[in-house]
Amino acid sequence: MIAKNELKYRGSPPVCRNMWRSISLSLLVALALGSEVSQPPDDVVTLEWAELKLQENTSDISAVIGNARRMILAAQFECYLKIIHDPPWSEAGNYCNRTWDGWMCWGDSAPGTAMQMCPTYFQDFDPGEKVTKVCNPDGQWFHHPESNRIWSNYTQCQVHTKDRVKVAISLYYLAVVGHCLSIVSLIISLIIFSYLKSLSCQRISLHKNTFLSFILNSIVTIMFLSVSAVINENTTSSNSVSCKILAALTQYTSTSNYFWMLCEGIYLHTLIIVAVFVEEQQLFWYYILGWGFPIIPASTYAVARWLYFDDKCWISPHTHLVYIIHGPIQVALVVNLFFLLNIIRVLITKLKETHCTESTAYMKAVRATLILIPLLGIQFILMPWRPEGCIGYVYDFFNNIFSHFQGLMVAIIFCFCNSEAQTALQRKWVQWKSAWGKTGFGETPATSNHFNYHTNSSIVETSRANLEHPAPAARSEPKDNSRALSVMQQGNSGEAGTHGERDAGNRLETTGI
Amino acid sequence: MASQGPSLLKAGLLMLLAAQILPPASGCNRRFYEIMIGEFCQAKFRLDMTGLERGAWCSWPKTMKIYEELTNCTHQVALKMDCFWPNGVVDDFFMQIHRDYFSDCALTGRLLHDPPIGILAPFIAVPVLITLLMTAAVVWRSKRTEGVL
């Protein structure tokens, strides 16, 4: 591992062959001048040469060394600038002189142990651990007993690396599993919503777009995680533009997820509170907000990152530039929450007295979205407060579940637990069974009676019943409801013919509500 | 007398050569190390820096390669002389180099770092404001009935 080599050489740079030639020439000159020189033993020289040659031949390692080397060199430069500009030691007594130990800068220290956080030069250094350097009472830095060189203790930086790598790998697999499950469940939901024409309405169109956004997000995130996991081990392409484009795309799809949830909230808000009896809303603006607007934060982030924090593949989250993405996302979540709370307030206070059934029905529509908003937002609330130690791993585990299983949660809440979808699926299932026609015609109305009787009141069911079967008994009381409720579903008139066999069942249902 | 001079010199050189071939008694000679890096690591550095114009001395992208060569040179000499690197001589050497060439350069900014708050704040605030505006626009537009965009 690179760090081990570095530990050995305390920041040894790659060899300069021209230097060796000129060194040998000057050594000969120095010999002639008569100064004393100490020859290193031959085996050490050959060993060093062999290792350095190996490093030169493998471009992978040299690329990694190059990156760490650049950081170490910059740190050295700034260290010596700091050393020459810092004020002299003012306290009495012995102290250890300011120094550069090859990796980090140490100022004048009183006798004792000086501490700093581990540097971020190497992958296996944990920046949360500490580096210690002991200053002896006589004003000399601690010498390592074996090699008798001044030595800083960097061992803590990689003591937990194996565990951390194991945890990181398992979190990576968890993320991939979460996104794959999300993709599968969302595709099934999309198929359900597209195939069952009885369900189609504007709200379902928005659901379909939300699902599509989550599917894209999962696909792009899986690609990005795989690429970045590979990049950590093999850094031949340190400035790969395609990796950065993938990083920017990940931010775009992530933002569009949250903005589609915002569109759902705005749609419900407009439907229930702002313009209750509008026949049909203009979905065009929702598409703009959901697909078009996230381009703005994503491209702003890409430009800012490229100009000011252009690290490898834009992977590092330790920069405030990520707030270019997180800021709008959190604004979307908070605005969404306010809209939904406002809807609930209105439903509870104003509509309860007059339109009891409607408010219950709308409540169910709002409930799904209201459950999802905290689930989507919880990772932003919890993220800044990661506890230390073993609990930190549990925290990471739950944070990962909330982040990477979002698509699955959306599919479950919006589709699989949706009573309308469940009823429509059951009806389809019954249709197939009767179309493959073992039992014949007579049984189906009874079974559908059974289903409909036990179904929860759903907006689509009541409105369909009212539209398709205008029997006088059914028509009298919910007539004023039907107009308001009909805005919740579109295109059901086409289904009248296929549901003809369930007259009795629907009549039961409407009176039952 | 004149003929004794060159032969004395030759004898002296031969003795010196013989003395150098014998294995040394101690390891790192700090004085000699200082002379070595002063003589030719610093010489090459001086040459390279005079090749740059004075105003570019504080520009890290331009001076990074030269600085890297200087550091490598001191390291290689230390390896060949069985000195550990870095050491007090290296510290003093670099302090002098920095006083001579880089004393008025910026103290930070060469590693990856966030832009100053004056640039960061607009980058974050503008998308947030546009978010709020777009939300308001969508809420307003969705109220309109069909046929009117």
Side-chain angles (χ1 to χ4, degrees), chain A residues 9-16 19-20 22-23 26-27 30-40 48-49 69-71 73-78 80-85 98-102 143 148-150 259 262 266 269-270 274-275 278 280-282 284-286 288-289 293 296-297 300 303-304 308-311 318-321 323-324 327-328 331-332 335 339, chain B residues 13 16-17 20-22 24-29 32 35-36 40-41 44 57-58 60 63-65 67-69 71-73 75-77 79-82 84-88 90-92 94-96 98-99 102-116 119-120 123-124 126-128 130-132 134-135 137-139 141-149:
Chain A
Y9 294 120
R10 188 65 55 202
S12 62
V15 70
C16 303
M19 278 299 158
W20 169 233
S22 40
I23 286 174
S26 66
L27 276 175
L31 279 176
L33 285 174
S35 315
E36 200 183 293
V37 71
S38 65
Q39 298 268 0
E48 288 168 12
W49 268 109
R69 193 66 208 129
R70 264 193 297 270
M71 289 165 71
L73 204 64
Q76 176 187 325
F77 191 88
E78 290 180 1
Y80 283 114
L81 279 179
K82 180 170 175 292
I83 282 179
I84 63 174
H85 286 301
R98 50 192 77 171
T99 181
W100 165 253
D101 72 355
H143 283 68
N148 202 32
R149 58 185 297 167
I150 295 178
F259 276 87
L262 179 64
I266 295 176
H269 184 264
T270 308
V274 175
V278 162
E280 196 172 302
Q281 293 185 38
Q282 283 294 325
F284 170 74
W285 288 95
Y286 292 106
I288 295 279
L289 185 64
F293 171 74
I296 295 178
T300 312
V303 165
Y308 295 110
F309 207 95
D310 195 10
D311 62 328
H318 304 299
T319 165
H320 287 104
L321 291 177
Y323 287 110
I324 296 176
V331 164
V335 164
F339 276 153
Chain B
L13 274 174
L16 280 168
L17 276 170
Q20 301 317 320
I21 289 167
L22 292 173
S26 63
C28 176
N29 185 339
F32 186 61
I35 291 174
M36 288 294 290
F40 81 130
C41 295
K44 182 164 194 323
W57 281 1
C58 277
W60 178 241
T63 53
M64 187 175 100
K65 268 246 157 295
Y67 193 77
E68 186 177 2
E69 275 185 22
T71 309
N72 287 352
C73 172
H75 186 89
Q76 288 310 307
V77 174
L79 283 181
K80 298 303 171 272
M81 295 178 66
D82 199 24
F84 59 83
W85 191 94
N87 51 48
V90 169
D91 274 343
D92 294 332
F94 273 103
M95 281 199 268
Q96 193 54 46
H98 276 257
R99 279 195 203 102
F102 304 120
S103 56
D104 49 357
C105 292
L107 285 177
T108 54
R110 289 157 198 87
L111 294 165
L112 275 179
H113 65 295
D114 278 344
I119 296 179
L120 192 62
F123 264 116
I124 296 178
V126 167
V128 168
I130 297 182
T131 306
L132 290 168
M134 277 294 293
T135 310
V138 172
V139 170
R141 280 296 185 186
S142 62
K143 277 164 37 176
R144 311 286 283 257
T145 54
E146 186 172 5
V148 180
L149 254 180

Side-chain angles (χ1 to χ4, degrees), chain A residues 192-193 195-200 415 418-432 451-452 455 458 460-461 464 495 499 502:
Chain A
I192 291 175
F193 278 150
Y195 182 58
L196 296 175
K197 297 284 184 291
S198 60
L199 288 176
S200 50
C415 180
N418 187 350
S419 49
E420 302 161 6
Q422 284 173 347
T423 339
L425 275 175
Q426 285 164 351
R427 189 177 298 120
K428 257 298 182 249
W429 175 245
V430 163
Q431 275 184 351
W432 282 341
F451 283 139
N452 289 334
T455 303
S458 81
V460 175
E461 285 308 303
R464 184 179 312 116
E495 297 286 12
H499 304 313
R502 286 166 297 123

Side-chain angles (χ1 to χ4, degrees), chain A residues 104-153:
Chain A
M104 299 189 83
C105 206
W106 300 90
D108 294 327
S109 304
T113 307
M115 275 199 279
Q116 285 191 57
M117 304 311 286
C118 287
T120 54
Y121 310 137
F122 310 111
Q123 295 291 343
D124 54 347
F125 269 26
D126 179 5
E129 293 286 347
K130 289 202 174 55
V131 184
T132 53
K133 198 170 170 71
V134 174
C135 179
N136 291 332
D138 63 350
Q140 297 295 319
W141 290 108
F142 169 75
H143 283 68
H144 195 271
E146 283 174 31
S147 58
N148 202 32
R149 58 185 297 167
I150 295 178
W151 186 79
S152 315
N153 188 358

Side-chain angles (χ1 to χ4, degrees), chain A residues 217-237:
Chain A
N217 185 32
S218 291
I219 292 174
V220 169
T221 305
I222 290 178
M223 284 167 62
F224 184 65
L225 285 178
S226 309
V227 164
S228 61
V230 166
I231 275 213
N232 277 340
E233 294 166 19
N234 179 8
T235 57
T236 45
S237 55

Side-chain angles (χ1 to χ4, degrees), chain A residues 151-162:
Chain A
W151 186 79
S152 315
N153 188 358
Y154 284 90
T155 54
Q156 281 301 108
C157 298
Q158 21 160 223
V159 71
H160 293 302
T161 300
K162 282 207 177 60

